[in-house]
Amino acid sequence: MPIPGLSTKTTSPQNWRKPSRRLRQLGGSGFKKFPIYTGRSRGPKKLPENFTKLLLTFGGIFLAGLGIFSIILLAWIAKDLPNPNRIIDRSIALSTKIYDRTGETLLYDVHGEEKRTFIKLEEIPANLKNATLTAEDRKFYEHKGISVTGIIRSFIKNITTGSKVGGSTLTQQLVKNAILSPEKKYTRKIKEIILSYQIERKFSKDDILQMYFNEIPYGSVAYGAEAASQTYFGKSVKDLTLAESAVLAALPQAPTYYSPYGSHTDALFSRQHWILDSMAELGYITQEDANKAKEEKIEFKKRDENITAPHFVMYVREYLTEKYGELAVEQEGLTVITTLDLYKQKIAEEAVKEVAPKNAEQYNAHNAALVALDAKTGEVLAMVGSKDFFADPYPENCTPGKDCLFDPQVNAVLRLRQPGSSFKPIVYTAAFKKGYTPETVLYDVNTKFLNYDGRDYEPKNYDLGERGPLTIRKALQGSLNIPAVKAIYLTGVDNVIDLAEDLGYTSFSDRSRFGLSLVLGGGEVKMLEHVSAFATLAREGEWHAPALILEVRDKDGNVLEKFEKKEKKVLETQIARQINNVLSDNASRAYIFGESNYLTLGARPVAAKTGTTNDYRDAWTIGYTPSLAAGVWVGNNNNGEMKRGADGSIVAAPIWNKFMSRVLGDTPAEGFKEPDPIDTDKPVLNGSIAEGIKVKIDKTSGKLATEFTPESQIEEKTFRQIHSILYYINKDDPRGDTPPDLNSEQYKRWEEAVQAWAQKNNFVSEDPPTELDDVHTPQDQPSISITSPSSNQLITSRNFSASVNVSAPRGVRRVEYYLNNKLIKEVTVSPFNLEVFIEDPSIKTGFYTLKAVAYDDIDNNKSDEVELSFKLPAAPATLTWINPTASATVKTSAFPLTIKATLSSLTAIDKIDLFYTHNGQTNYINTARQFPSNQLSLQWLQTPEPGSYQIFASITNQDGFTYQSGSLDIAIE
């Protein structure tokens, strides 16, 4: 059955063989340049006549078959075409309902009550007609319903990009929105083309244009221009200004995206400006008219729809519209279960509203936004795109989307803003990935960097100060700019962007825009992607896109999509644990923020980072636990500056803290897993160089101690090296053996800055020695042997003696004797033999090791030892002073003074003589031979002169051996 409007004639092989009239007009040279096969040979050899006929026969059959197949395909597609005569008829629209994650609370009914008011074409102002034709179909009055060039152009784009867009005329848009279903299929596109052609045959252009202005959706359940004008401007379409007409004409291309109540009003006005300029180019208006219209203040009618979590809902609607089409969302009765946690959403809205007024009053910060994700799944749990979605813009004389400090409907969570220092963790994470460590030392000193564009770049810290050498851990937690710039140079901007894109950032595609300032927030990011990246760190390197939808069902209950957790490993677990460990280390940020700050949640472990742009246009706080990630942005919609001091820790962190504290409440605290120890032998990477390099030095030679250096000759010294990190490592092989590039321009600049700082702060660079101790060697050690007593000899007397044979290359200075490693005497006189009374009562019976150690003048030493069997008599008495007590002050009037002490044992005591020492002189006091009740009691008869005295006893046993007690210190006045 032939399809109306389409010819069923096919081209014959004979016609196909003939060159076109245009080609014939080109003459001989044209045919040489564009040869056409006609069945006749043009070469020196002629093809066989049978072969030529066979080729032409098959060619003809192929083309005929292709034509028949095309007719059948078109007939099959056309069999279900709607009747174009019933274009105004419309089935009952079913509303799409958007719910929270429980599926019980309705957040928004997309359709609501459909708004439609018929209006005749002559009642529609010329400006709206011209603006619409300018924006949608400039050759409307010339074509027959389709634009061949537009179809070809869109087909090529679809093939090359994989998208399904396109090339529609105004008539096709009418068919697509008023007759056909919204699915994005090529068969639907063919139906659209056929119906457009049929409609063009049945209706006049003005009729079609009138139907367009009455049928086309303008968003917000407004169908047709009159309903849209009433919805958005509260006036009839007849009363629209040029500026308002251009706004209305901008909507049909993407009603949800360009909605005046949506998050992209800036894009709406950008499209309005393009339409106005295009109208001027086409001669509909003058350029002066266009410029005046651009400056006109547009006042949109305040929407009265009831929406819960409006910014989130509008974002969900944009997603649904992009995936399923405008009509499907507005008319197909979808049921949408979102990820929104209504409890957390309400807390988020409250936290923003509580702090926002103070920020506006004190810091000229008129807006704030918050988004929270389930760190384990990526689901969006709360989204607050502005401080009040339903509020009037501030100030009152601004136009939404143009110059407002506060633009209520704009969802700041989805807008590009500079992240300031909150982007530093991404850079440092990339540095860890390259081989640097949290303990890597970077000098915080004013440095004139050589940027990637060849220009000088000299960043400053927020307080304009310098702090010298400090670790990455301290630099990041202190949010210092100069070390951060060094970090991104060491890491490489491309490596940072590679990681950022792995983490889900989509705003770094033009890499030529970025240099060293990227680490300080020089590249704009979307807040949702920013928080998602931090959530990836919380998940220890597992990433997936933020999720809005748990489930979508059609009107019949069929599941169209369902959330499935699909993770992608983009970062090694240990790297993520390293950055988590740094960001959750509150002690490391205390030197800047104090121990008590808005980035802590009591005893609950939490990782957090603030950010502030240099001109105070954006302030951030991003923080997370292992289960919850949340970010807060504070600023002005028109990118206006806040007051100085409006940094992230002051205006954003209080909102973040309120939200996290209330949401987490008394839920069980989760901790971050500790990273594995980092194994590096480079002092600049392990942090030891910050306070200097500590090495063990031989006191005598001043060289590095060895295994032969005696402990008594070893001292630990700290050598502080004043060099930049580029002095020690190659930036592209920080842990490897590749030598540093000391000829690079960057090294020279860094080193010059470090040395200038050292000179200003009176630091002297001193390198540690590299040579080894050469005076304590095996050849320098003494020799010694114990000649008496012999091994296993029985010792029965506490009067003990030993003899040795000893020598040394440098001469023997002393010999130390030990019993079971306890020093009993040091002998300094040759021949260095031992004579001693063993006082220690614990040494009595058993086996003991006698060790003799010989030393030279620099403590080179050697030892010898023998095993002995001891069977000794009881130990001599020990004496404990009773009166006077230690450190007592005694008056001269107390003399004669009775001195008392208790004795631990009276065995073998013959006598006890009492002495005192004063001014270096020792004098006798008295002697006792009787010890009633195990006590010593003696009279100090002669009154001494005032001063300090030391009293001691000399105890003589029955063998005639004398030993001395401990002394008693007193003062006499």
Side-chain angles (χ1 to χ4, degrees):
M1 175 180 173
I3 300 175
L6 292 180
S7 173
T8 58
K9 295 180 180 179
T10 58
T11 304
S12 68
Q14 290 80 8
N15 290 336
W16 173 74
R17 292 175 60 213
K18 293 179 181 180
S20 68
R21 179 182 178 185
R22 174 58 182 154
L23 288 177
R24 289 198 302 271
Q25 291 173 349
L26 292 175
S29 61
F31 280 100
K32 289 179 182 179
K33 190 172 182 180
F34 305 105
I36 302 296
Y37 177 65
T38 64
R40 295 187 295 274
S41 172
R42 295 183 180 273
K45 293 183 180 180
K46 293 184 178 180
L47 291 172
E49 186 175 350
N50 290 340
F51 177 80
T52 303
K53 290 181 178 179
L54 182 65
L55 182 62
L56 291 174
T57 300
F58 277 113
I61 293 172
F62 173 76
L63 290 178
L66 182 62
I68 294 171
F69 174 77
S70 299
I71 293 172
I72 294 173
L73 177 63
L74 289 174
W76 177 79
I77 293 174
K79 65 183 175 63
D80 297 323
L81 284 176
N83 187 344
N85 294 314
R86 301 181 60 191
I87 192 169
I88 304 301
D89 293 344
R90 180 186 297 276
S91 60
I92 298 175
L94 300 176
S95 63
T96 289
K97 299 183 184 300
I98 300 176
Y99 293 89
D100 73 341
R101 68 186 298 111
T102 67
E104 297 175 357
T105 302
L106 181 64
L107 303 177
Y108 183 49
D109 189 325
V110 172
H111 181 275
E113 182 181 354
E114 184 177 300
K115 301 174 183 177
R116 185 194 305 276
T117 303
F118 182 82
I119 189 169
K120 294 181 179 179
L121 185 63
E122 55 265 26
E123 296 180 272
I124 297 175
N127 282 333
L128 179 56
K129 295 178 188 176
N130 296 333
T132 300
L133 294 175
T134 298
E136 301 296 338
D137 192 351
R138 300 184 183 186
K139 295 186 178 182
F140 172 70
Y141 283 98
E142 300 175 21
H143 60 65
K144 297 298 183 182
I146 59 174
S147 170
V148 176
T149 57
I151 293 173
I152 295 174
R153 186 167 55 249
S154 64
F155 178 77
I156 294 173
K157 184 174 182 181
N158 294 343
I159 293 298
T160 56
T161 66
S163 61
K164 292 184 179 180
V165 297
S168 297
T169 65
L170 190 144
T171 309
Q172 288 176 264
Q173 293 178 43
L174 176 63
V175 170
K176 177 175 65 177
N177 287 285
I179 302 178
L180 296 177
S181 60
E183 74 269 16
K184 295 182 178 180
K185 296 180 180 179
Y186 287 114
T187 55
R188 187 203 60 78
K189 191 69 176 177
I190 296 172
K191 292 177 181 179
E192 176 189 301
I193 293 171
I194 295 172
L195 282 172
S196 297
Y197 181 76
Q198 291 180 337
I199 287 174
E200 288 275 348
R201 291 181 62 192
K202 293 180 179 295
F203 298 97
S204 70
K205 286 290 186 180
D206 284 350
D207 287 339
I208 295 172
L209 192 58
Q210 178 173 283
M211 286 188 286
Y212 179 90
F213 279 120
N214 282 283
E215 283 293 316
I216 205 75
Y218 284 86
S220 191
V221 302
Y223 288 86
E226 177 66 18
S229 182
Q230 294 288 354
T231 297
Y232 298 124
F233 304 112
K235 65 172 71 171
S236 172
V237 71
K238 299 191 297 281
D239 301 320
L240 291 179
T241 66
L242 172 60
E244 292 168 338
S245 295
V247 168
L248 215 58
L251 293 175
Q253 186 187 66
T256 295
Y257 182 83
Y258 288 121
S259 172
Y261 305 136
S263 183
H264 305 285
T265 49
D266 54 342
L268 170 64
F269 281 101
S270 177
R271 183 165 170 80
Q272 179 218 32
H273 289 185
W274 170 77
I275 291 172
L276 290 169
D277 288 336
S278 297
M279 290 176 71
E281 291 174 9
L282 295 173
Y284 290 124
I285 58 175
T286 66
Q287 189 60 52
E288 183 181 359
D289 292 334
N291 293 338
K292 287 182 179 179
K294 291 179 192 177
E295 298 300 321
E296 180 180 325
K297 179 183 181 297
I298 303 293
E299 293 185 2
F300 294 112
K301 181 181 176 183
K302 188 173 182 180
R303 67 187 301 168
D304 54 4
E305 294 177 276
N306 184 24
I307 311 176
T308 302
H311 287 106
F312 176 79
V313 165
M314 292 298 105
Y315 186 36
V316 169
R317 179 171 176 171
E318 284 184 30
Y319 165 81
L320 295 171
T321 301
E322 176 66 23
K323 185 167 185 178
Y324 300 104
E326 291 276 357
L327 287 184
V329 175
E330 293 185 355
Q331 301 180 20
E332 294 296 316
L334 304 179
T335 297
V336 184
I337 309 299
T338 69
T339 60
L340 189 82
D341 186 319
L342 199 55
Y343 169 73
K344 293 180 176 62
Q345 175 69 21
K346 290 180 178 178
I347 292 176
E349 292 174 357
E350 291 170 0
V352 170
K353 287 183 179 180
E354 287 175 15
V355 180
K358 175 184 175 182
N359 286 342
E361 179 182 352
Q362 296 185 2
Y363 296 103
N364 192 40
H366 294 277
N367 204 2
L370 182 153
V371 67
L373 305 180
D374 184 326
K376 295 183 178 179
T377 66
E379 297 170 22
V380 178
L381 302 176
M383 180 182 289
V384 181
S386 73
K387 67 181 180 181
D388 188 353
F389 180 86
F390 299 103
D392 292 325
Y394 176 87
E396 293 182 356
N397 63 351
C398 77
T399 298
K402 286 188 175 180
D403 57 358
C404 297
L405 290 170
F406 168 49
D407 208 339
Q409 277 81 49
V410 171
N411 189 349
V413 172
L414 307 177
R415 308 315 292 269
L416 290 172
R417 306 292 304 207
Q418 288 198 343
S421 293
S422 68
F423 192 71
K424 288 175 182 174
I426 308 304
V427 173
Y428 282 114
T429 300
F432 296 164
K433 186 177 179 181
K434 191 172 182 179
Y436 296 94
T437 73
E439 308 312 317
T440 296
V441 176
L442 302 173
Y443 268 83
D444 176 31
V445 296
N446 291 328
T447 305
K448 187 176 291 186
F449 295 91
L450 179 64
N451 210 341
Y452 285 79
D453 58 4
R455 300 179 181 179
D456 290 342
Y457 176 53
E458 192 170 4
K460 300 290 184 181
N461 291 326
Y462 59 91
D463 62 356
L464 304 181
E466 301 174 285
R467 289 168 179 80
L470 77 172
T471 63
I472 281 179
R473 178 182 297 273
K474 299 285 284 187
L476 174 54
Q477 286 291 52
S479 201
L480 300 175
N481 292 339
I482 299 171
V485 174
K486 291 186 174 182
I488 196 171
Y489 171 75
L490 295 170
T491 306
V493 171
D494 278 337
N495 290 329
V496 171
I497 295 177
D498 286 344
L499 175 61
E501 291 180 343
D502 286 342
L503 291 171
Y505 293 94
T506 60
S507 50
F508 300 122
S509 56
D510 183 4
R511 298 194 176 199
S512 63
R513 295 175 50 225
F514 307 112
L516 298 179
S517 64
L518 178 63
V519 70
L520 306 184
E524 294 178 327
V525 302
K526 293 179 181 178
M527 184 178 176
L528 182 60
E529 295 173 352
H530 202 27
V531 176
S532 176
F534 280 75
T536 303
L537 300 179
R539 287 193 299 272
E540 298 190 336
E542 298 283 353
W543 177 88
H544 53 73
L548 302 171
I549 306 295
L550 294 180
E551 185 178 88
V552 177
R553 291 179 179 269
D554 65 14
K555 63 180 184 298
D556 299 319
N558 299 312
V559 177
L560 302 181
E561 68 174 277
K562 194 178 185 71
F563 172 71
E564 293 182 6
K565 181 181 174 183
K566 295 180 181 178
E567 295 187 337
K568 180 174 65 174
K569 190 71 171 176
V570 299
L571 191 64
E572 291 180 19
T573 300
Q574 288 304 315
I575 302 300
R577 289 181 180 178
Q578 287 174 22
I579 195 69
N580 291 342
N581 181 265
V582 174
L583 293 179
S584 60
D585 183 2
N586 187 56
S588 291
R589 73 168 72 94
Y591 75 105
I592 297 294
F593 296 96
E595 285 286 347
S596 179
N597 54 70
Y598 284 115
L599 303 183
T600 62
L601 298 175
R604 184 186 297 274
V606 60
K609 184 68 186 76
T610 63
T612 314
T613 54
N614 288 337
D615 47 14
Y616 294 98
R617 298 181 190 273
D618 300 276
W620 299 75
T621 294
I622 315 286
Y624 56 95
T625 68
S627 293
L628 181 65
V632 173
W633 167 85
V634 172
N636 296 310
N637 284 91
N638 66 352
N639 206 33
E641 292 186 19
M642 299 177 284
K643 290 182 180 178
R644 290 193 61 81
D647 61 65
S649 64
I650 300 298
V651 295
I655 299 174
W656 177 87
N657 189 277
K658 285 179 182 291
F659 171 76
M660 295 290 282
S661 297
R662 294 178 189 176
V663 165
L664 294 171
D666 57 0
T667 59
E670 298 176 88
F672 297 100
K673 293 181 180 179
E674 292 290 325
D676 292 340
I678 300 173
D679 182 21
T680 170
D681 59 355
K682 295 189 176 184
V684 74
L685 297 181
N686 63 30
S688 62
I689 201 171
E691 299 298 329
I693 298 177
K694 294 181 179 180
V695 295
K696 292 182 177 181
I697 301 296
D698 168 51
K699 294 179 183 178
T700 302
S701 65
K703 300 177 181 179
L704 294 174
T706 70
E707 59 183 302
F708 303 108
T709 307
E711 286 294 330
S712 61
Q713 291 295 301
I714 294 176
E715 63 176 347
E716 190 173 70
K717 294 184 67 175
T718 299
F719 293 86
R720 192 162 198 174
Q721 293 179 298
I722 313 295
H723 295 294
S724 75
I725 188 173
L726 294 177
Y727 177 84
Y728 304 102
I729 56 99
N730 184 292
K731 74 178 183 69
D732 294 322
D733 185 24
R735 298 198 194 184
D737 298 325
T738 307
D741 182 5
L742 303 184
N743 294 316
S744 70
E745 177 64 22
Q746 205 76 274
Y747 164 75
K748 296 174 183 177
R749 290 171 176 244
W750 290 26
E751 190 70 7
E752 180 183 353
V754 168
Q755 297 305 326
W757 173 86
Q759 183 176 3
K760 183 171 65 175
N761 290 275
N762 297 318
F763 283 105
V764 178
S765 180
E766 184 180 6
D767 293 336
T770 57
E771 296 180 342
L772 299 178
D773 174 11
D774 55 5
V775 296
H776 297 101
T777 67
Q779 295 76 18
D780 294 315
Q781 292 179 347
S783 65
I784 185 172
S785 62
I786 299 174
T787 58
S788 171
S790 59
S791 179
N792 294 316
Q793 181 176 330
L794 178 64
I795 307 298
T796 59
S797 173
R798 289 189 176 272
N799 292 313
F800 182 73
S801 62
S803 58
V804 293
N805 187 3
V806 60
S807 64
R810 297 178 63 99
V812 178
R813 176 62 59 89
R814 70 186 188 280
V815 174
E816 295 177 351
Y817 290 90
Y818 297 83
L819 277 178
N820 283 3
N821 293 318
K822 184 176 181 180
L823 179 66
I824 56 176
K825 192 169 184 178
E826 177 186 294
V827 180
T828 58
V829 178
S830 182
F832 303 102
N833 295 327
L834 173 68
E835 292 288 339
V836 67
F837 178 79
I838 302 176
E839 302 179 22
D840 189 345
S842 66
I843 301 176
K844 187 175 182 181
T845 300
F847 290 95
Y848 291 85
T849 300
L850 173 68
K851 181 171 71 173
V853 185
Y855 294 87
D856 65 11
D857 60 329
I858 57 173
D859 280 2
N860 283 309
N861 61 82
K862 192 76 177 217
S863 65
D864 188 27
E865 56 187 44
V866 295
E867 292 289 330
L868 301 175
S869 177
F870 276 44
K871 191 174 182 181
L872 303 181
T878 58
L879 186 146
T880 303
W881 302 103
I882 299 175
N883 184 62
T885 58
S887 302
T889 298
V890 180
K891 302 288 187 181
T892 55
S893 59
F895 282 81
L897 178 67
T898 300
I899 300 175
K900 293 183 178 182
T902 59
L903 299 170
S904 63
S905 172
L906 300 179
T907 305
I909 294 180
D910 180 43
K911 66 174 181 175
I912 296 178
D913 297 310
L914 211 59
F915 297 87
Y916 71 81
T917 300
H918 175 63
N919 292 335
Q921 299 293 321
T922 300
N923 295 286
Y924 172 75
I925 296 177
N926 210 336
T927 299
R929 295 181 182 274
Q930 301 289 325
F931 312 103
S933 301
N934 287 343
Q935 282 196 353
L936 168 68
S937 181
L938 282 175
Q939 291 283 317
W940 187 350
L941 300 174
Q942 187 174 356
T943 303
E945 63 182 21
S948 298
Y949 289 78
Q950 293 81 42
I951 302 171
F952 65 92
S954 177
I955 304 172
T956 304
N957 66 13
Q958 294 175 353
D959 295 328
F961 195 89
T962 300
Y963 56 94
Q964 186 173 303
S965 72
S967 62
L968 170 68
D969 295 337
I970 64 172
I972 297 176
E973 59 181 29

